[in-house]
Amino acid sequence: MKTINRSQLFTASCLALLVTSLSFGIRAGILNKLGVDFGLDKAELGTIAATAFWGFPLAVVIGGLIVDVVGMKKLLLFAFIFHLIGIILTIFAGKFDNPFWSLFFSTLLIGIANGTVEAACNPLVTALFPENKTTKLNHFHLWFPGGIVLGTLIVYFFDKIALGWQIQVAIMIIPALIYGFLFAKQHFPVTERVANGISTGEMYKSLANPLFIFMIICMFGTAITELFTGQWIDVLLRNVTDNALLVLTVSTGVMVIGRAFAGPIVEKLAPQGVLLMSAILATLGLYLLGNTSGNMIFVGALVFGAGVCYFWPTMLGFVAEYLPKTGAVGLNLMGGAGMFAVSIYMMFMGGVYDKYIAEKLPQGADIKIYNSAEATEEMKLALSEANRAAGPEIINTTLIIPVILIAAFIGLNLYMRKRRQLAL
């Protein structure tokens, strides 16, 4: 009988997610530099950043459909290969004739790798810890904000000692090599759905459950609230505070601590109660980020981090606990739906951001010229002022999403309370 080493598999899963999150944290930190180095405007930067978010759902949905057939181990080895290729292509983007397309395709590969990690690791964690799914998913997913904290700190301190963004990106190769090695030598369990004898037909039929469809729709909002804001925070607030990247570090640092201590909170409030609390705090945090300045921005970051902290893992945990027949496909459709929504929103808001900036520049001004190395000091000052005003406007536009989530999760709590009463 093959021995399943829960500890090593969980450790390797966390390292794989660390690479995923480092890609988000480092990209958030270097996004502005890429724009300056390669003469890219906000719409082009938004398209590049969004590529990771639609590469992710592509991989996570396809991975969810085939994970029971090909096995979690093969999917994770594919993720390892795509991570390596994507990282190397990003490092050498400047060697190509058109850096935009090299960054586009390298980010796409990293996004596919990230989605493949989620497609395999979420069902792996629930299979390893069937008695404690929501809490262990929170423990696993604490490595996402944890990696973002590490990534933003890498960017911050490497910038201080004048190490280029290429070296910052290359750091990701180290945990990638480690997780690839660990997974290659381990035996894997079957998914929880297979272990419980739930048929493939029953799994697909359960995807039509109205509660599951409702959770998919809510996943659009929770993912946009958390990931769009996190990925763009340095760009949105760079001209509002001198430490914009540290704002992201504060919010994600709170997320790491919150997810580490998720067990008692989930036990007391239940997943649906945690989601309602999260939506309220996320709304307040976004409001503070978009309407304050100075040290109050860090207060907003702290509140926002506490708000979005439990969104992603608790959405998955809710489905794993209350809709277990949806299996790996259900978990991965949730992740895919979230990332797809972020990708669409990010591409759309990149254009809106350029529009807001253009409205604040002299009439007829070309943003690309103002954002290029040839820009005069007067142009740079005008662009800085336009950014200062436009960034918070984008945050305030996004604020409506967690407000809607508050209403949705109030309804979910009432529904779950009624369902529990009927079951008694």
Side-chain angles (χ1 to χ4, degrees):
M1 182 179 176
K2 294 178 179 178
T3 302
I4 306 298
N5 190 325
R6 289 206 309 182
S7 176
Q8 286 230 355
L9 283 172
F10 187 71
T11 298
S13 298
C14 293
L15 282 170
L17 191 62
L18 176 62
V19 178
T20 293
S21 57
L22 280 173
S23 74
F24 279 84
I26 291 174
R27 188 168 54 247
I30 68 172
L31 203 58
N32 208 60
K33 298 187 194 76
L34 296 177
V36 174
D37 284 2
F38 301 125
L40 305 173
D41 61 26
K42 294 296 189 296
E44 288 171 321
L45 290 177
T47 300
I48 289 168
T51 304
F53 289 93
W54 60 261
F56 184 106
L58 177 71
V60 81
V61 172
I62 294 174
L65 295 173
I66 65 173
V67 65
D68 290 324
V69 178
V70 304
M72 292 178 274
K73 183 172 185 173
K74 286 182 181 176
L75 279 184
L76 287 163
L77 292 178
F78 278 125
F80 165 69
I81 293 168
F82 284 134
H83 265 143
L84 278 186
I85 297 172
I87 291 166
I88 291 167
L89 280 177
T90 302
I91 293 168
F92 293 103
K95 302 294 184 182
F96 295 87
D97 292 337
N98 191 328
F100 170 81
W101 287 111
S102 58
L103 289 169
F104 179 93
F105 286 113
S106 63
T107 308
L108 174 62
L109 284 174
I110 291 174
I112 291 171
N114 294 346
T116 307
V117 166
E118 285 267 340
C121 287
N122 284 322
L124 176 58
V125 171
T126 59
L128 292 173
F129 304 97
E131 74 289 348
N132 206 12
K133 288 182 276 193
T134 300
T135 297
K136 292 308 290 185
L137 281 168
N138 268 281
H139 290 168
F140 165 56
H141 280 279
L142 76 81
W143 288 93
F144 190 81
I148 292 177
V149 170
L150 287 174
T152 52
L153 288 175
I154 285 169
V155 172
Y156 181 78
F157 288 111
F158 278 33
D159 281 352
K160 291 291 185 185
I161 58 176
L163 284 177
W165 60 263
Q166 292 89 345
I167 295 175
Q168 296 165 20
V169 172
I171 290 290
M172 291 189 284
I173 293 175
I174 298 170
L177 290 172
I178 297 172
Y179 92 70
F181 172 75
L182 288 175
F183 278 136
K185 67 190 187 90
Q186 291 298 318
H187 297 296
F188 281 64
V190 295
T191 61
E192 189 183 21
R193 192 268 301 177
V194 173
N196 291 336
I198 298 168
S199 70
T200 303
E202 192 175 0
M203 176 179 68
Y204 283 111
K205 184 179 178 182
S206 67
L207 299 178
N209 186 316
L211 180 58
F212 180 72
I213 294 170
F214 172 81
M215 293 305 291
I216 285 280
I217 294 169
C218 288
M219 192 70 175
F220 295 162
T222 58
I224 288 171
T225 303
E226 175 186 348
L227 297 175
F228 168 76
T229 309
Q231 187 73 155
W232 274 81
I233 201 78
D234 185 49
V235 177
L236 294 172
L237 296 178
R238 172 169 286 272
N239 295 94
V240 180
T241 172
D242 293 332
N243 297 299
L245 200 56
L246 290 183
V247 172
L248 177 60
T249 307
V250 169
S251 64
T252 48
V254 172
M255 292 171 70
V256 173
I257 296 168
R259 288 179 183 179
F261 295 98
I265 298 171
V266 172
E267 186 177 340
K268 185 173 180 62
L269 297 179
Q272 59 273 20
V274 173
L275 290 170
L276 175 57
M277 174 196 73
S278 298
I280 293 169
L281 290 174
T283 301
L284 178 59
L286 267 187
Y287 177 81
L288 291 172
L289 285 174
N291 294 277
T292 59
S293 59
N295 290 334
M296 279 304 295
I297 286 182
F298 289 94
V299 175
L302 192 150
V303 175
F304 176 73
V308 298
C309 169
Y310 299 112
F311 268 160
W312 191 279
T314 305
M315 291 292 286
L316 296 179
F318 182 95
V319 170
E321 289 196 28
Y322 298 117
L323 297 159
K325 291 182 179 179
T326 58
V329 171
L331 288 176
N332 290 323
L333 281 176
M334 288 287 288
M339 285 294 187
F340 178 74
V342 175
S343 72
I344 297 299
Y345 191 78
M346 193 169 286
M347 286 190 287
F348 172 74
M349 292 308 285
V352 173
Y353 196 10
D354 277 337
K355 177 175 171 288
Y356 284 169
I357 292 171
E359 288 172 353
K360 292 162 179 60
L361 291 174
Q363 192 170 7
D366 187 332
I367 296 177
K368 280 199 170 187
I369 295 175
Y370 275 67
N371 201 37
S372 69
E374 290 76 32
T376 65
E377 288 302 317
E378 187 180 353
M379 287 179 176
K380 290 176 182 177
L381 180 61
L383 184 62
S384 175
E385 290 301 319
N387 270 290
R388 181 184 292 272
E393 284 187 26
I394 294 291
I395 293 175
N396 286 328
T397 302
T398 304
L399 183 62
I400 187 63
I401 295 174
V403 172
I404 294 170
L405 286 173
I406 292 174
F409 290 140
I410 288 173
L412 179 64
N413 275 267
L414 293 174
Y415 170 78
M416 294 303 292
R417 186 180 302 169
K418 184 176 180 181
R419 194 169 93 160
R420 191 165 56 250
Q421 290 170 349
L422 292 174
L424 294 176

